[in-house]
Amino acid sequence: MYAVKSVFGALGLGLIGFYLGLGIVAFLRWLFGYSDPWGGEINIIGGWVLGLFMWLMGIGMWGQWGREWFGLKTYTRQLPGWQRYFTFNTDHKVIGIQYLVTFMVVFFLAGALAMLMRLELAQSGNQFLSNAQYNGTMGLHGILMVAVAVAAVIGGIGNYAVPLMIGAQDMAFPRLNALTFWLVPPVAVGLLATPFLGGIEHGWTAYPPLAIYTNSAQVLFSLSIITFGLTSILGALNFIVTIIYMRAPGLTWGRLPIFVWSMFATSWIALLYTQGFAAALFLVLLDRLGFSFFNTAGGGDPLLYQHVFWFYSHPAVYIMVLPGFGLALELIAHFSRKPLFAYRYAVAAFLGILGLSGVVWAHHMFTSGMPNYLHGPFLVATELISIPTGLIFLSALGTIWLGRLWLKPPMLFALAVIFNFACGGVTGIFLADVPTDIHLQDTYFVVAHFHYTIVGGEIFALFAAIYYYFPKMTGRMYSERLAKLHFWWMFIGFNATFFLMHLPGIKGMNRRIADFPSELDPVNLAISLAGFFLGASFLVFIWNMVYSWVRGPVAEANPWQARTLEWQTSSPPPHENFPVPPVVSGGPYDYGVPGSKHATFPVPSAGFAGAPAGGGGQ
Amino acid sequence: MHGKHLISVALLWAGLTAIGELLVFADLFPPVGSHEAEDFDSIFRFLLILGIPVFTFVIAVVTYAALTWRVRGDQPDEDGPPIRGRGWVPRIWLAITGALAVFVMIHPGLTGLAKLQSSYTAYGWGPEEADLEIDVTAFMWQWTFTYPDGTEISVTKGKEVVIPVNKHVRFNVNSVDVVHSLWIPAFRMKIDAIPGRTTYMTVYPTELGAYNDDQAYRVQCAELCGLDHSKMWLPVRVVTESEFEAWLASLKSEGK
Ligand code: HEM
Ligand SMILES: [Cu+2]
Ligand SMILES: [Cu+2]
């Protein structure tokens, strides 16, 4: 079992690196005469950096990449079957599935934490979680889910589908792509280890000065998230280059599938803004070591952090939701058997949101005590975003109008995205208008709103994509009946849970609390019950996926009769994606247009030697 | 070919909207304890009245389409009509959504904001002049309220914040450690307590009320501040002016 050995070997190397890093810092501290060479958080930082590096080397970076630095020959190991998924594999299809499975596991862990929280919140008073335990659970749920929301669709579906959809053989930088994925397991390990250092005490937002005074779990949190930011940035870079340079001949910008457009806009956001969060957390780390960026006692400003943080984290909500929109529109066009309505406007919407996303951050700070003159401009900019968002709805509704709606599981989830986001969008207006936000900020109304947008908008789209691409990825079909059961169960559970959550928010229940006023007992019990109902729906999904992957009937190459390129090759596709590189000659959604063709696969004539542009890879 | 469908969807939309608008009459809010709360409730209702048709429009189209045009057999037997949406529909859509967005931006957004802010450079809500000023210090995980005469209310003393009705009461808010947030749900007002900066909020209570009658009468910390964040609250009582004076005097005589 080469794969198992290599993973455990790399883990071992990582651990050795970690302790070596601790030791080196300790040695330096000893040299400089510190009384407690082992006791500083800076030791953990040293350990993290070295551990991360050795882990990457062990998992395959050395063989595929590092050897080059010393003039040695690199090697790749092509392993058969499932073992591929446990090695430093550069195939974007493997990486997509690696991302997807990893983040589904994280999603279910974080979901279990949500169940714990709802159990505690079923009744006022502290039942079985202490305040410290509740805060740790809440923080971990939040940051794990944020990670899922940022990376599952982009890393999983994006990696898998984008090169196929544009007729490329792989991403532009396959080795970088593999590196991007293998940075993720340390992030997961780091975050999951936080409870052993006392738990995350500051939620996923980590506002200082609190984040400066908390236990050392903060350091693991920061290091993990900075590393995670790195994967986001590198991934974004890869997508941008891939989408610009690797498109099949004839695949002009005006013929690009809308999901690819959404990934393009999203990648720019990730590339431009992720540094903000990373920088902010880095400065927090420095503050913990004695600097004073945010610590008032030393002349720092706590609000500065909030500005830098939201400068990333508002755009981050678009990193989460734009690929969700893209998927929803993509699937709605295929399953309505119609061209995407107002395609150009939808593209403009993605680019418009990309443009506006960077100038609205302070709407998260309306009650923060920032100077009054900032409220007006941020209110205006925030309301403006509803205009491009409205265009997404126009496109979706126009496409289903008079369509032939094929209500397969992916389509049901895609329609639910539109349904859910309508609710999340409307409640957003209440939060963008300062007079209403003053009361609602930091209450369960906000919790309801962001679950509607993130879960309703993105996680539903993720499930849509999983049901859409499952036959492509595995070559097998799942049980449609179980998939529909999952859909209705999850849809009803989700809406029950999170619609109800608005109510205690308005009534006066603030968020991030282990205990609440006893007046709100009945509604909280109802929310908890609905939450458990929702949680249970995923068991159907897990069973269906696991069973079908192993035992499901063999799928056709194009079970949805879709026109885009990824469906014009076998399921699963061969390593090089297309035995014959495609040439694109028309739009991706020209359903109902007689004689239209999206792409052809010309057999190269005998004398034709050059590889078609956009094939590439290396 | 659109006509029949347009009418059906419009009817469905109208029906759903009629049902949805009933939410406006629902008992959604905590008790109205102040002017600010009155304003909040009416703005909230206004946005609800506007927002519900937007929501039901989407729901109506999606539901109608899914019911009317769904493929009944195993496979779609034909494609839909290739409508591209290049003509006037997107332009009208843009005009309507743009107008709506600009409308709520101006009212109740900017108009409401103008009412809440007395100057561009201040750090907080409401008029800067007030009849009563109370200094609030937040710390992990409680509050101290200091009245003009030096009376201090905190967990260890008094344990209840008392303010007079029909007066402008200004809270000057400060923190000694981390960021907290002063929130009184019955007044719908909230401002963060930041170390190193004084923020304020002025409220005008219009009703008598107390925590024992409704739990929305409490000061609650609304910004995660660590371990006992959820326990960081104190009851509030709004009393008549004479009762207020008497209360202050009684605390004085107890010897503060
Ligand atoms: C299984 C259904 C879920 C339930 C019942 C649930 C419930 C909760 C609860 C009770 C909180 C604490 C709210 C607070 O006090 O602020 C919370 C926070 C949060 N949830 Fe969920 N959640 C679920 C799924 C998700 C998903 C799928 C995501 C994202 C993809 C997500 C993202 C978050 C985030 C970002 C926070 C904020 C944490 C923080 O404030 O630091 N949740 N959730
Ligand atoms: Cu935002
Ligand atoms: Cu607090």
Side-chain angles (χ1 to χ4, degrees), chain A residues 372, chain B residues 113-120 122 124-128 200:
Chain A
N372 281 357
Chain B
L113 191 61
K115 230 173 136 179
L116 281 161
Q117 294 185 334
S118 55
S119 97
Y120 286 124
W125 309 125
E128 285 171 280
Y200 80 93

Side-chain angles (χ1 to χ4, degrees), chain A residues 90-449:
Chain A
T90 54
D91 184 343
H92 72 99
K93 299 184 289 300
V94 172
I95 295 173
I97 292 174
Q98 285 172 329
Y99 260 110
L100 206 55
V101 174
T102 309
F103 279 103
M104 286 322 281
V105 172
V106 176
F107 177 80
F108 293 122
L109 282 177
L113 295 177
M115 296 298 108
L116 266 184
M117 283 189 285
R118 278 323 315 180
L119 205 57
E120 172 60 48
L121 294 175
Q123 214 191 338
S124 56
N126 288 55
Q127 273 75 39
F128 69 103
L129 291 181
S130 67
N131 284 346
Q133 287 165 335
Y134 182 88
N135 291 348
T137 312
M138 191 265 308
L140 194 56
H141 164 78
I143 193 67
L144 289 178
M145 284 300 194
V146 165
V148 169
V150 166
V153 171
I154 298 179
I157 308 300
N159 259 314
Y160 191 89
V162 166
L164 282 165
M165 289 173 110
I166 63 174
Q169 285 183 356
D170 206 322
M171 296 285 280
F173 307 121
R175 285 190 304 194
L176 187 68
N177 207 13
L179 170 69
T180 310
F181 169 74
W182 285 106
L183 280 169
V184 169
V187 175
V189 171
L191 289 176
L192 291 172
T194 51
F196 300 108
L197 291 186
I200 299 168
E201 294 181 79
H202 46 57
W204 82 276
T205 49
Y207 279 9
L210 179 61
I212 300 171
Y213 299 144
T214 47
N215 59 44
S216 297
Q218 206 308 311
V219 178
L220 272 186
F221 173 92
S222 292
L223 291 169
S224 305
I225 297 308
I226 292 172
T227 310
F228 185 62
L230 191 62
T231 77
S232 253
I233 294 174
L234 296 179
L237 198 70
N238 212 345
F239 277 113
I240 292 173
V241 177
T242 305
I243 295 171
I244 294 180
Y245 290 109
M246 308 283 283
R247 283 168 291 137
L251 187 56
T252 56
W253 290 102
R255 291 171 178 163
L256 211 54
I258 199 73
F259 174 60
V260 180
W261 264 116
S262 74
M263 283 294 301
F264 188 65
T266 308
S267 299
W268 278 108
I269 300 181
L271 182 68
L272 291 175
Y273 296 107
T274 308
Q275 311 142 41
F277 196 178
L281 286 178
F282 186 66
L283 297 184
V284 168
L285 278 184
L286 290 181
D287 267 10
R288 293 182 71 95
L289 299 178
F291 284 67
S292 283
F293 292 99
F294 309 125
N295 201 344
T296 333
D301 183 359
L303 280 193
L304 174 64
Y305 175 89
Q306 298 183 20
H307 281 294
V308 182
F309 172 80
W310 288 113
F311 187 68
Y312 161 73
S313 290
H314 184 81
V317 309
Y318 295 110
I319 298 178
M320 299 173 194
V321 88
L322 287 192
F325 285 163
L327 279 173
L329 292 184
E330 180 79 29
L331 299 193
I332 284 175
H334 294 309
F335 286 91
S336 301
R337 318 291 308 164
K338 274 184 65 201
L340 187 69
F341 189 82
Y343 172 90
R344 279 157 187 268
Y345 287 86
V347 170
F350 285 117
L351 299 180
I353 292 176
L354 158 64
L356 283 172
S357 67
V359 292
V360 297
W361 75 87
H363 64 213
H364 296 274
M365 300 169 60
F366 281 150
T367 64
S368 70
M370 64 181 183
N372 281 357
Y373 58 81
L374 285 178
H375 294 76
F378 280 101
L379 183 162
V380 168
T382 305
E383 299 279 13
L384 284 181
I385 284 210
S386 55
I387 300 174
T389 312
L391 287 176
I392 308 267
F393 280 91
L394 167 75
S395 186
L397 300 183
T399 308
I400 57 177
W401 190 256
L402 291 175
R404 303 283 177 275
L405 272 62
W406 199 16
L407 298 181
K408 289 286 183 182
M411 179 62 161
L412 290 174
F413 277 96
L415 289 176
V417 168
I418 301 303
F419 185 104
N420 297 335
F421 203 86
C423 183
V426 166
T427 52
I429 302 286
F430 293 78
L431 301 173
D433 258 0
V434 184
T436 32
D437 183 59
I438 297 176
H439 177 61
L440 300 172
Q441 169 80 67
D442 262 312
T443 65
Y444 261 75
F445 191 89
V446 173
V447 179
H449 162 76

Side-chain angles (χ1 to χ4, degrees), chain A residues 126 131 303 337 342 367-369 372-373 390 401 404-405 438-439 441-442 508 510 517-519 561 590 592, chain B residues 2 29 69-71 75 78-80 84 93 119-120 122-123 125 190 192 194 197 215 218 221-222 228 231:
Chain A
N126 288 55
N131 284 346
L303 280 193
R337 318 291 308 164
T367 64
S368 70
N372 281 357
Y373 58 81
W401 190 256
R404 303 283 177 275
L405 272 62
I438 297 176
H439 177 61
Q441 169 80 67
D442 262 312
N510 47 319
S518 53
E519 267 177 8
Q561 304 173 24
D590 286 346
Chain B
H2 288 279
F29 306 104
W69 295 309
R70 73 169 188 278
V71 171
Q75 305 255 326
E78 52 166 358
D79 286 346
R84 305 220 175 243
W93 179 277
S119 97
Y120 286 124
Y123 299 92
W125 309 125
K190 168 186 302 138
D192 282 8
I194 321 166
R197 181 181 291 190
Q215 292 168 346
R218 67 182 200 281
C221 178
D228 279 341
K231 303 284 193 296

